[in-house]
Amino acid sequence: MNFLSIPKRKTGNRVCGITSVIDLGIPLGVLQSILEDYSPYIDFAKIGIGTAYVTPRLQEKINLYKAYHVKPFFGGTFFEKCYHQNKLKEYVQTLNEFEIEWIEISTGTLDIPLEERLQLISMLKNDFHCLAEVGSKDNSFDMPVDDWKQEIKLLLEAGSTYCITEGRDSGTSGIYEKNGEIKSNLIHELIKDIDVNKIIFEAPTPKHHMFFINEFGANVNLGNIKLTDVLALEAERCGLRSESFFMEG
């Protein structure tokens, strides 16, 4: 259908307006059905937490995403586990074996010093596209706004393609309060000095989707999207939900 005035969405190989889904173990047959219908609305697929390490037929899943022009990558917790056990060499080798082109450098569980993350990105950026996650999964830790801004700036300058703001798949840490409320003051401060198109905001619930869409428009970058929410999110981006109803083209 093409008769309503709705926000114009980026299409094709998007560099903004990104939808990054989280895959926590969806079976291949179900995934194929979803991708057949909704792959034009999906840009990245995070094989979340450490599930890539135990996923049956992992290569088939990776190949399936690629066949539908979705960029797969492994969750940052897997990276941190390898860092913790001094297995980053093996981790990078595994990414190469599975022909994964994107790598997430995170510090959600471990407190990896910023300088080490910057060095890792500088080393890896020639072989991978880097996604640097900022923020902790520990919802008792309140990271100062200036630290958020400095980390994102330095990580982008070091060669990260995007920075991801931590929110977990529950929306209860990082850019969110323990109760799921959005730290809106933090978000507004972040984008004063940083290009919003270089940030992927983890937004696991419709309430979170709508905040970012209403603040930054239909083509805001969103991550940790459930595969079952992809179509509803696209409708939200196009002003086809009550909370975004008055957005027009």
Side-chain angles (χ1 to χ4, degrees):
M1 287 182 273
N2 189 28
F3 55 83
L4 289 175
S5 176
I6 61 175
K8 187 173 182 180
R9 284 284 282 129
K10 303 289 185 183
T11 57
N13 187 23
R14 283 180 283 258
V15 296
C16 65
I18 287 168
T19 293
S20 179
V21 298
I22 184 167
D23 178 338
L24 292 174
I26 191 163
L28 273 173
V30 178
L31 178 61
Q32 172 130 20
S33 295
I34 291 172
L35 292 176
E36 282 177 0
D37 287 344
Y38 307 140
S39 60
Y41 306 135
I42 305 171
D43 304 281
F44 290 90
K46 175 167 68 176
I47 301 175
I49 53 176
T51 58
Y53 195 75
V54 293
T55 295
R57 300 160 66 189
L58 177 59
Q59 187 68 71
E60 291 180 55
K61 175 167 279 193
I62 290 166
N63 293 345
L64 182 60
Y65 276 121
K66 288 185 174 183
Y68 285 94
H69 308 290
V70 175
K71 305 172 184 70
F73 66 100
F74 295 163
T77 302
F78 189 5
F79 158 80
E80 291 183 52
K81 187 77 169 184
C82 294
Y83 176 93
H84 180 63
Q85 296 189 358
N86 296 315
K87 297 292 185 180
L88 284 184
K89 180 180 177 181
E90 290 83 353
Y91 182 67
V92 169
Q93 182 180 344
T94 298
L95 294 181
N96 284 322
E97 288 173 357
F98 282 102
E99 298 183 331
I100 297 286
E101 298 174 357
W102 292 78
I103 184 170
E104 181 179 337
I105 308 295
S106 72
T107 182
T109 302
L110 298 177
D111 184 14
I112 303 175
L114 176 60
E115 190 59 40
E116 287 192 39
R117 285 178 278 144
L118 294 172
Q119 290 175 359
L120 282 169
I121 290 165
S122 295
M123 287 191 301
L124 293 167
K125 67 182 181 182
N126 293 325
D127 297 311
F128 299 95
H129 303 286
C130 295
L131 301 164
E133 188 172 58
V134 178
S136 173
K137 287 180 168 61
D138 181 355
N139 58 20
S140 66
F141 175 65
D142 192 13
M143 185 172 170
V145 174
D146 287 344
D147 289 355
W148 277 94
K149 293 169 76 171
Q150 180 175 4
E151 285 204 13
I152 292 174
K153 283 177 154 181
L154 291 175
L155 290 163
L156 290 172
E157 289 172 3
S160 294
T161 305
Y162 298 98
C163 277
I164 301 170
T165 58
E166 176 68 73
R168 302 206 73 174
D169 59 307
S170 57
T172 55
S173 66
I175 57 173
Y176 302 105
E177 304 287 359
K178 294 178 185 179
N179 63 3
E181 290 299 311
I182 300 154
K183 297 178 181 177
S184 56
N185 289 339
L186 167 63
I187 301 303
H188 292 143
E189 285 297 319
L190 286 184
I191 57 90
K192 283 182 179 178
D193 305 308
I194 299 166
D195 181 359
V196 70
N197 292 326
K198 302 298 288 183
I199 300 175
I200 299 175
F201 299 103
E202 289 193 338
T205 73
K207 175 183 176 180
H208 301 144
H209 308 167
M210 295 317 312
F211 171 82
F212 290 107
I213 290 169
N214 283 318
E215 288 291 323
F216 305 118
N219 290 299
V220 65
N221 300 323
L222 299 177
N224 270 12
I225 304 302
K226 297 177 180 66
L227 280 157
T228 51
D229 286 347
V230 166
L231 188 63
L233 171 58
E234 193 62 26
E236 291 161 6
R237 290 184 185 273
C238 293
L240 297 170
R241 183 173 177 143
S242 177
E243 290 84 349
S244 62
F245 188 86
F246 294 102
M247 294 172 58
E248 297 184 354

